[in-house]
């Protein structure tokens, strides 16, 4: 048996197209163009790449992109002042502060200073608090977990009543993903480095979300036949046949897992393209909130 | 085999004594008496009883108790105005809005308007958000789950690495309890009405927290031998031998469970007395935050 491959590129393209149409409609009907501000502090090369990708996607879908950069030496006050100026700017609908910030900056304070109606990354503590509570909904769901949920829905996976196991408990993926699946009535178990019997948990899961950052640690023999596997990991694996000397692989051993799983996301081309697509969707929604005020 | 009974009255008395000493010390050293404001809207008799119990406990431990009442017909604005006045009152360290509020009042807005440094109930979305995130700590943990954690710790239960199953996912018990156990490095599974195989989950648990509000639904034959059982349920069970015609029982069938469990809380006298003790502890801490500002 070979699993159905959940095509993240295709589903992300669908989300992008929805956003592009929504942006065009808003421009036509309201003469308003949604804007995403990116804030980068310092010269982290990965951050520079991520910000550039987001800016390019804005251009592609017709959103306005507002890039702001501060030097590595920027003070807490300077970062907060910039965020406050963007909060007040009516042309800015979403504010994305690229993480990580330099060590001397209080990340929680910066994220908490973003206007909750512009918190398109979904990391404001009030958004997380709402996500964690029954009967309340955050304005914005963090992009990667939102993307994983969309992949599950587009693939027709039954979530209500399913046994779901999250491997990893990061603030940006594992924990919000657990809350989302729980809200969708799955029975959720959060596994992590202190979990005594990971294999036993994974073997009982109808849905496995791997987000622990360990190269190919979930193997096919650990899975329940027919399980849906969402692989959030992006790890470099030595590969002499590649020009860079490595290739990207997930937290799941794709080759063995696809023989047992019912559906599985590849790496790359699974969860990866969804994150930025969901950021665009969140920004469009932020603009809709703003224009309908 | 018969389980060790976790004596909530005894442990709550210990917490009370700690608070009493802390209050006396603050009065002696800082000439300051911690104050708890209770807000009651309408004439719900159960709410009146709960508020009275809290006020009496304040008196007993030397805290100042400030009771505020509004009629059932109070508007959203009137409730919010009262909360804001209490936020501004330097003699008030903790604000407890007794739930449930009348249906026409937006509970989330009221709870979110409490100054986070006076949110001794721990229900402000920012407090819940911090509770739900790795590396962040709420100023105040909701009282019932905080009490359950204290019972586990006082009983010497190993939490890190343990398999923990929460039955029930309410905002006031199940969900925050899941977050607390997860932060303490347990592997947590949240079960609820849509869970397919509750028995299987409970059978694998080293720690079972029952908070689903169903009379004696967890029975001894479902438990792993030696498990620790925390019973948050309070249900009325018909009993003709009692003057009122009923007695209080938990979500766990105590008689069968105590033959299998390693340790178990009784109902009443287990979790119950802890909630109010933790509220007093939170109020003392709120006062410490205020005087050290």
């Amino acid at each position: 048996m070979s699993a159905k491959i959940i095509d993240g590129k295709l589903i992300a393209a669908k989300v992008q197209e929805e956003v592009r149409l929504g942006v065009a409609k808003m421009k036509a009907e309201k003469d308003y163009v949604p804007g995403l501000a990116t804030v980068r502090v310092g010269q982290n090369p990965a951050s520079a790449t991520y910000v550039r990708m987001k800016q390019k996607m804005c251009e592609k879908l017709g959103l306005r992109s507002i890039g702001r950069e501060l030097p590595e030496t920027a003070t807490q006050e300077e970062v907060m002042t910039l965020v406050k100026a963007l909060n007040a700017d009516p042309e800015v609908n979403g504010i994305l502060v690229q993480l990580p910030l330099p060590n001397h900056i209080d990340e929680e304070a910066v994220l908490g200073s973003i206007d909750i109606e512009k918190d398109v990354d979904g990391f404001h503590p009030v958004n997380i608090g709402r996500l964690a509570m029954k009967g309340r909904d955050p304005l914005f769901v963090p992009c990667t977990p939102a993307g994983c949920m969309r992949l599950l829905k587009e693939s027709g996976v039954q979530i209500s009543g399913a046994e779901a196991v999250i491997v990893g408990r990061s603030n940006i993926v594992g924990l919000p993903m657990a809350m989302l699946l729980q809200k969708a009535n799955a029975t959720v178990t959060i596994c992590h480095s202190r979990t005594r019997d990971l294999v036993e948990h994974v073997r009982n899961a109808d849905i496995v979300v791997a987000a622990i950052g360990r190269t190919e640690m979930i193997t096919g023999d650990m899975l329940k036949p027919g399980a849906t596997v969402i692989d959030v990991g992006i790890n470099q694996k030595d590969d002499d046949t590649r020009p860079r000397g490595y290739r990207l692989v997930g937290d799941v051993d794709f080759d063995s897992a696809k023989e047992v799983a019912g559906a599985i996301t590849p790496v790359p081309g699974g969860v990866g393209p969804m994150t930025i697509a969901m950021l665009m969707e969140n920004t469009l929604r932020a603009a809709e909130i703003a224009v309908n005020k």
Side-chain angles (χ1 to χ4, degrees), chain A:
Chain A
M1 192 179 85
S2 201
K4 174 184 154 188
I5 307 301
I6 301 176
D7 188 340
K9 281 188 199 165
L10 195 74
I11 297 171
K14 186 175 166 184
V15 175
Q16 286 175 30
E17 183 59 13
E18 289 167 5
V19 172
R20 198 186 61 74
L21 290 172
V23 169
K25 186 164 176 257
M26 184 175 287
K27 197 175 174 185
E29 293 179 3
K30 309 264 185 181
D31 194 26
Y32 187 89
V33 179
L36 173 67
T38 53
V39 175
R40 191 153 68 81
V41 184
Q43 294 299 326
N44 183 320
S47 290
T49 304
Y50 292 138
V51 164
R52 205 157 45 231
M53 284 168 62
K54 290 162 189 172
Q55 291 171 335
K56 277 192 182 170
M57 187 60 78
C58 282
E59 275 174 48
K60 182 177 165 188
L61 306 185
L63 290 87
R64 184 186 294 116
S65 158
I66 302 106
R68 291 284 182 269
E69 286 168 34
L70 290 173
E72 183 81 25
T73 54
T75 64
Q76 179 78 24
E77 205 191 330
E78 285 166 334
V79 179
M80 304 279 276
T81 301
L82 173 56
V83 170
K84 279 171 198 158
L86 295 169
N87 281 342
D89 186 340
E91 296 207 338
V92 170
N93 303 111
I95 301 172
L96 183 133
V97 176
Q98 186 66 44
L99 303 180
L101 292 168
N103 285 333
H104 67 281
I105 304 288
D106 177 350
E107 177 185 305
E108 188 185 356
V110 171
L111 296 178
S113 73
I114 297 173
D115 184 337
I116 190 170
E117 297 192 343
K118 298 188 177 188
D119 176 37
V120 289
D121 239 355
F123 293 147
H124 192 293
V126 168
N127 261 331
I128 299 287
R130 288 187 183 163
L131 188 63
M133 294 180 92
K134 207 172 156 178
R136 298 192 190 162
D137 288 306
L139 282 170
F140 304 103
V141 173
C143 302
T144 300
C148 294
M149 290 301 286
R150 182 74 183 250
L151 290 176
L152 288 172
K153 282 170 191 167
E154 294 279 341
S155 307
V157 174
Q158 169 77 23
I159 300 177
S160 179
E163 295 285 327
V165 166
I166 318 286
V167 188
R169 49 174 170 172
S170 70
N171 285 333
I172 50 175
V173 183
L175 294 176
M177 192 65 198
M179 297 168 205
L180 287 167
L181 284 168
Q182 192 275 115
K183 280 198 172 198
N185 293 321
T187 299
V188 176
T189 302
I190 306 168
C191 294
H192 46 77
S193 57
R194 305 292 185 89
T195 293
R196 225 164 39 206
D197 196 347
L198 176 68
V199 174
E200 185 62 24
H201 281 291
V202 172
R203 201 184 308 283
N204 288 320
D206 305 303
I207 298 170
V208 177
V209 179
I212 202 160
R214 289 181 57 187
T215 301
E216 295 174 336
M217 81 168 289
I218 310 283
T219 50
D221 58 317
M222 294 165 68
L223 297 170
K224 177 174 171 176
T228 300
V229 179
I230 303 291
D231 189 354
V232 189
I234 302 180
N235 310 289
Q236 299 183 357
K237 186 179 183 182
D238 290 344
D239 185 343
D240 291 341
T241 69
R242 304 290 174 104
R244 289 184 175 170
Y246 66 83
R247 60 193 165 95
L248 294 179
V249 298
D251 291 351
V252 177
D253 177 42
F254 185 79
D255 289 338
S256 65
K258 79 174 194 305
E259 298 304 318
V260 184
I264 186 170
T265 61
V267 175
V271 174
M274 294 303 293
T275 299
I276 198 163
M278 301 318 285
L279 175 66
M280 298 297 121
E281 189 180 277
N282 278 351
T283 304
L284 173 60
R285 200 164 64 259
E288 285 165 350
I289 293 170
V291 297
N292 290 323
K293 255 196 164 172

